[in-house]
Amino acid sequence: MIDFEPTEEQQLIIETVQAFAQNEIRPRARDAEESAKCPSEVLSAAHELGLVANALPEEFGGGGERSAVTGVLIAEELAWGDLALALGILAPSLAALPVLDFGTDEQKQEILPASIERPVAPTTLALVEPRFDFDPFRPTTSAKSDGGDFIIDGSKCMVPWLEGVESVLVSAADAQGAQLFQVPCDAPGLKIAPDDYMGIRALPTISLTLEGVRVSGNARVGAAQGCDHAALVNRGRVGLAALAVGVSRAAFELSRDYAKERHAFGVPIATKQAIAFKLADMAIEIDGLRMLTWEAAWKLDAGDDVTREAALAIDQARRVALQVADGSVQVFGGHGYVREYLPELLLRNARGFASFEALTLI
Amino acid sequence: MAISFEPAENSLRARDFYHELATEHMRPISRKYDTQEHDLPVEWVDHYWNHVRDNTPANDGPSDGFVQVCIQAEELCWGDAGLYLRSPTAALGGSAVSAAGTPEQKERFLKPFRGKGQPIWGAMAITEANAGSDSAAIETTAELDEETGEYLLNGTKIFCTAGEGASQVEGGFVVVWATVDKSAGRGGIKSFVVPAGTPGMKLVGLEKKLGIRVSDTATLVFEDCRVPAANLLGRAEVKKKDPKKSGDKGFKGAMATFDASRPIVAAMAVGVGRASLDFLKEELERQGVTIRYDAPPREQTALERDVIEMEAELQAARLLTWRAASMMNRGKPNSLEASMAKAKAGLSVTRITQKAVELLGPLGYSRKLLVEKWMRDAKINDIYEGTQQINQLIVARRILEYASSMLR
């Protein structure tokens, strides 16, 4: 039956994460952005909530409650607080979920407990490549078989790189197509340089250059079977769409409240249709995006191929997030342009959805 | 319950049933009745009245409730939105009787729609030349004749959907909005059931329209049209405007019927939009063009990007519609969500159908095919049952928590 009501349990999770976003994330968002630092106390506090751990199996120390629908509900609330910090909080999903879904027993033993025990997972994911025609489904980075080993060449960027990272899952094309390879940080031929982006500045990210990096055959996620790389990209897109809902909702709510406060010509500017209709459109578009996101997540939970649904959701997410964030700057007028308020930050973050892929997984 | 996008079994059966009906009995006569504007589509009306009503799938087991009504509307409007509107049903007039009528009124006016005999129609007459979106400004009067206990209706109603059938064919009826006391403002507005053929109710014209041409959009004149007091829906007494309290509960109640009708109109819009999109995709497929959902945007053709955006817009509209409908199942107030769905669906299918004509070139523009018709049919969805702007206004007032006096 068709229904749009979260379960009581999910409702409780939403309320908990909303409170966390309001009390712990939002107040730190601006400072974190200005100082380009992800506050470790936020990561620790979020870790206590077990947001990622709860989705992982009990045998590795998780809660055993995997649900993409719950995942998107959580992601929206966190991103409402701040996108960069939400990405930092959800970063353990980047290695844990692909390994859970496709990894060998050995890989699961190595990566899952470590992703659950610590606020910052020791393994991260490198998918995006620094080129305008980057295709997440078909990386240009290559992995050539050499004896039992693989030799990896290519470059990556936008890799979340919080303190304590020891290895990175690099997406690269081998004879079977796109796959993931676990590369230790100290592997010869691996070079790391910090990124520098317009937004999400509180999330440290790096660029990777791989020149003839040799990894053993065991480093391939899923060994001979490999992984369903497309499914991974789709999970990333659904997650990003949910984060875009959160960012958009933040921009909308700030604009709505400001428009009711701000007086011009003797009345609140919200009483003018030009402003009121802009706010109405924001609300409608955000809800439409949320519904598309929920549907894609629900299909993920049903085990369906969601390539089309994920494409629709991310297409809308890129458009809606930018439109709403731009609208928030407009509603705030000059105040939207100054860094004392959040709209300018939201606009910079919102534009990022056109470039982001697999910065969190659902 | 939990978030779920899986229709109930009987919704799927209903969807198949109405899809076949649309394919077999609507599409083949779509062009004919678009061209022969105002002719009664006898094949469709007879088939609907004599066969469809008897053969609709049984609703046993778990149901999507109001969402299923939306699924039905989408399928039939995928077939032909004009024919859907001309189907012999009690339509909005029936909704008004269901919502505000006494058990006796429901029995009297709605029972004929379950019977045999000739097909009949119901309709609702609200709009006037000087009162469109501002429906509180209506000037049609209803004056009580104390001696006979009858109300005398006087005024002119325009844009009355199904107004020809409902006013002319015996057994049908028109629900007319009129004021019993102009000084009472909205509080004085009441609705009256006027049976077809009542002396004093005259059909004076049918609109020639951009689209949904087979639908009879009537102008009805009421001249000392007498209806018994027993035909008044709801309470007869007038609540005068009280500065402390809102004295327009009756009017608000009438407006609340839009909470039920707007999701259906949104679903109708989605049906027309889907017709265009389905045709576009089939045509692209015939020409060997496939939509690559997994290609990076820089590699997708402009055509692919357009189609993906159209699909996303249509699906967002559909899901907002289903959400508004599912809230009714739960008995939750949904006027915000109903207006959101209507605003989104009206605008997005207007764009989708216009884009389909553009992308298909001469095929889109040709009257030998139906795409150009769907573009014309789609546009009404952004206008009737509350224009885009009226629905934006409702959404804006709700999100801002402003009374109508704060945001006009």
Side-chain angles (χ1 to χ4, degrees), chain A residues 1-7 69 132 134-135 137-138 252 256 260 268 270-271 273 276-277 279-281 283-285 287-288 291-292 294-295 298 307-308 311-312 315-316 318-319 354, chain B residues 1-8 62-64 293-294 296-298 308-309 311-313 315-316 319-320 322-323 326 330 332 340 343-344 389 392-393 395-396 399-400 402 406-408:
Chain A
M1 277 166 68
I2 304 220
D3 195 46
F4 297 84
E5 291 280 316
T7 61
V69 170
F132 80 95
F134 165 61
D135 181 347
F137 293 97
R138 298 160 200 87
F252 160 69
R256 178 197 61 196
K260 290 180 76 171
T271 62
Q273 285 193 352
F277 282 15
L279 295 170
D281 287 343
I284 294 168
E285 292 301 297
D287 278 9
M291 294 300 112
L292 286 176
W294 283 9
E295 186 184 35
W298 182 85
T307 303
R308 176 176 166 272
L312 299 189
D315 174 72
Q316 284 289 294
R318 288 167 182 159
R319 193 179 62 76
Chain B
M1 290 289 285
I3 292 169
S4 171
F5 293 85
E6 183 156 48
S63 170
D64 292 316
Y293 296 97
D294 64 345
R298 294 88 177 158
I308 287 171
E309 187 177 341
E311 282 188 52
E313 289 287 307
Q315 186 64 5
L319 294 177
L320 286 176
W322 289 2
R323 178 182 66 162
S326 80
R330 289 173 168 271
K332 285 184 159 186
M340 282 181 151
K344 176 72 179 171
Q389 289 68 27
Q392 280 175 312
L393 198 56
V395 171
I399 59 177
L400 290 162
Y402 277 172
M406 282 288 282
L407 183 59
R408 292 175 181 277

Side-chain angles (χ1 to χ4, degrees), chain A residues 318-338:
Chain A
R318 288 167 182 159
R319 193 179 62 76
V320 172
L322 184 67
Q323 181 186 313
V324 173
D326 180 80
S328 74
V329 173
Q330 194 68 31
V331 169
F332 272 70
H335 292 103
Y337 203 72
V338 299

Side-chain angles (χ1 to χ4, degrees), chain A residues 4-25:
Chain A
F4 297 84
E5 291 280 316
T7 61
E8 276 181 35
E9 207 180 337
Q10 285 169 333
Q11 197 55 49
L12 200 67
I13 294 173
I14 292 172
E15 284 161 23
T16 307
V17 181
Q18 167 70 46
F20 182 80
Q22 185 152 16
N23 300 325
E24 307 296 330
I25 301 180

Side-chain angles (χ1 to χ4, degrees), chain B residues 82-93:
Chain B
L83 289 169
Y84 174 81
L85 290 168
R86 193 111 194 215
S87 304
T89 71
L92 277 181

